[in-house]
Amino acid sequence: MTRGSLTVTTAPVPTPGPGEVLVKVLAAGICGSDLHCLTHGEQMLASAKEAAGVDLFDMDDPVVMGHEFCAEIVQHGPQTQGTLPIGTRVACFPFLLREQVVTIGFGGPDTPGAFAEYMLLTEALLIPVPDHLPDEIVALAEPLAVALHAVNRGRLGVHDVPLVIGCGPIGLAVIAILKMRGLGPIVASDFSPSRRALAKELGADVVVDPRETSPYESWRELAAPSDPAQIGRQTLMFPEQLRPSAIFECVGIPGVIQQVLTNAAACSKIIVAGLCMQPDSFMPSMAVMKEMDLMFSMAYTPEEFAEAFGHLSSGELKVGPLITSRIGLRDLPGAFDRLANPDQDAKIIVFPSMR
């Protein structure tokens, strides 16, 4: 990618530095942040610079995207231990631990992301993949780690009733994590019929089309307590007796946060996992009067990545339905176009060896 233009080209195989391995990419997922990188690159750069003081990439330099992957070791670089032999399939926390850390998927041809045939990884971060786990399922560890982090941020209790607004890949992954942890009943909302069907398949108990049914009213029906011990926090202004509410905003477009503040029950926890790349606004007075807890969630820790991978490996997380298409590298530009239509795909997996 260069300045919002996506092309497939040829580049030299990268050379591993100290403590690094060269790997062959077996499978890679297309992430929503890859779409943002392509269509809102300047906004992403400005946000990262202002928030963290980092330059993710240069708009004028080529970027090889892709940070959700399964790969195979083909060469050990200098000063490596060689603990995992050549031919070992691996997952990995997507960072190169150099003096200046490289965020995989935002580097150039020298440090490419997973939309390449070969890439570099830090040996110390590698996780071996068991034989029974397919390459494409391994590539889901990263988005599941994002969802796991969002659920962890919400600190749900056993009586919380979660509501997921937006059933794109992250919303669907949040549903899968909630279901695995036995939290619920889970209410999910999306305009897309295909994504509503996936939400149901991945564990949502009630799925609604917001054009026809208010997800907040559906939530209230399920949040009626059967035991006084289940009643969540109340205020004098809002004494409604309901189970606690945890709302996951997984849409990321302007106006959604205000919609949640307006319609959600008082004292709700709102976890914003949708990455909105445009200016947005909401009424703080609404959140203050209803004593909302508003929190934002970004990425995950190395420990959460390993935990998500462990749940996949053990079979606790069954998320195969997330994958809706499989393509080769030369099909990438068309796949990015397809992902703009929520009824066509949820998660597209790229197989660089596919011709």
Side-chain angles (χ1 to χ4, degrees):
M1 179 201 74
T2 306
R3 282 214 161 265
S5 177
L6 193 63
T7 57
V8 180
T9 187
T10 301
V13 174
T15 302
E20 297 172 0
V21 297
L22 176 69
V23 298
K24 179 181 180 180
V25 180
L26 302 176
I30 302 176
C31 177
S33 61
D34 295 324
L35 302 179
H36 289 317
C37 187
L38 186 68
T39 58
H40 299 286
E42 291 185 351
Q43 293 96 319
M44 282 188 70
L45 288 174
S47 296
K49 186 69 173 180
E50 187 170 354
V54 298
D55 294 306
L56 279 179
F57 56 90
D58 190 311
M59 287 292 293
D60 294 317
D61 293 335
V63 174
V64 184
M65 295 186 290
H67 55 273
E68 308 174 356
F69 56 85
C70 176
E72 176 185 329
I73 299 173
V74 296
Q75 180 187 341
H76 295 102
Q79 300 175 32
T80 51
Q81 302 297 312
T83 306
L84 299 177
I86 288 174
T88 302
R89 291 188 306 146
V90 293
C92 189
F93 186 66
F95 289 86
L96 272 178
L97 300 184
R98 297 184 170 182
E99 183 175 349
Q100 182 171 348
V101 175
V102 176
T103 305
I104 290 175
F106 297 96
D110 291 340
T111 55
F115 299 156
E117 293 182 290
Y118 295 92
M119 63 189 296
L120 304 177
L121 299 175
T122 295
E123 184 188 41
L125 296 177
L126 299 179
I127 303 174
V129 174
D131 291 341
H132 71 272
L133 207 57
D135 299 338
E136 61 185 40
I137 298 299
V138 177
L140 296 179
E142 200 277 345
L144 286 165
V146 172
L148 187 145
H149 180 70
V151 174
N152 285 348
R153 291 276 290 133
R155 298 183 179 180
L156 279 69
V158 294
H159 300 312
D160 284 51
V161 178
L163 168 59
V164 179
I165 304 294
C167 298
I170 295 304
L172 292 169
V174 166
I175 291 168
I177 296 292
L178 292 168
K179 189 68 174 180
M180 181 193 70
R181 291 187 172 178
L183 297 166
I186 303 166
V187 183
S189 171
D190 200 284
F191 290 107
S192 164
S194 61
R195 291 191 171 183
R196 292 198 301 272
L198 284 171
K200 194 74 174 175
E201 192 170 359
L202 288 166
D205 297 283
V206 172
V207 180
V208 301
D209 180 346
R211 285 169 295 209
E212 300 177 356
T213 306
S214 164
Y216 305 96
E217 290 308 311
S218 296
W219 177 89
R220 278 182 166 82
E221 291 175 9
L222 291 181
S226 59
D227 183 329
Q230 297 176 333
I231 297 172
R233 187 167 61 87
Q234 302 165 281
T235 70
L236 289 175
M237 191 179 294
F238 298 95
E240 196 172 12
Q241 295 191 347
L242 294 166
R243 290 171 62 177
S245 171
I247 302 172
F248 294 87
E249 191 280 284
C250 302
V251 179
I253 61 173
V256 176
I257 292 176
Q258 181 59 50
Q259 288 176 17
V260 175
L261 292 175
T262 300
N263 293 289
C267 304
S268 292
K269 290 180 291 190
I270 303 165
I271 305 96
V272 180
L275 183 59
C276 183
M277 296 307 303
Q278 299 161 273
D280 197 4
S281 63
F282 58 86
M283 291 295 295
S285 60
M286 180 77 70
V288 171
M289 290 180 184
K290 296 173 77 172
E291 285 205 354
M292 302 288 210
D293 293 333
L294 181 61
M295 60 194 78
F296 296 83
S297 181
M298 176 68 180
Y300 43 84
T301 66
E303 293 78 13
E304 287 170 325
F305 180 88
E307 181 183 346
F309 178 81
H311 291 314
L312 281 175
S313 182
S314 69
E316 293 173 281
L317 270 174
K318 300 184 186 300
V319 290
L322 264 175
I323 301 170
T324 51
S325 291
R326 298 157 180 82
I327 64 169
L329 279 176
R330 298 207 172 274
D331 300 318
L332 261 174
F336 272 64
D337 292 338
R338 290 212 319 265
L339 285 168
N341 181 349
D343 278 327
Q344 282 198 286
D345 278 290
K347 178 63 67 175
I348 297 177
I349 300 294
V350 183
F351 294 90
S353 61
M354 183 185 290
R355 303 301 179 197

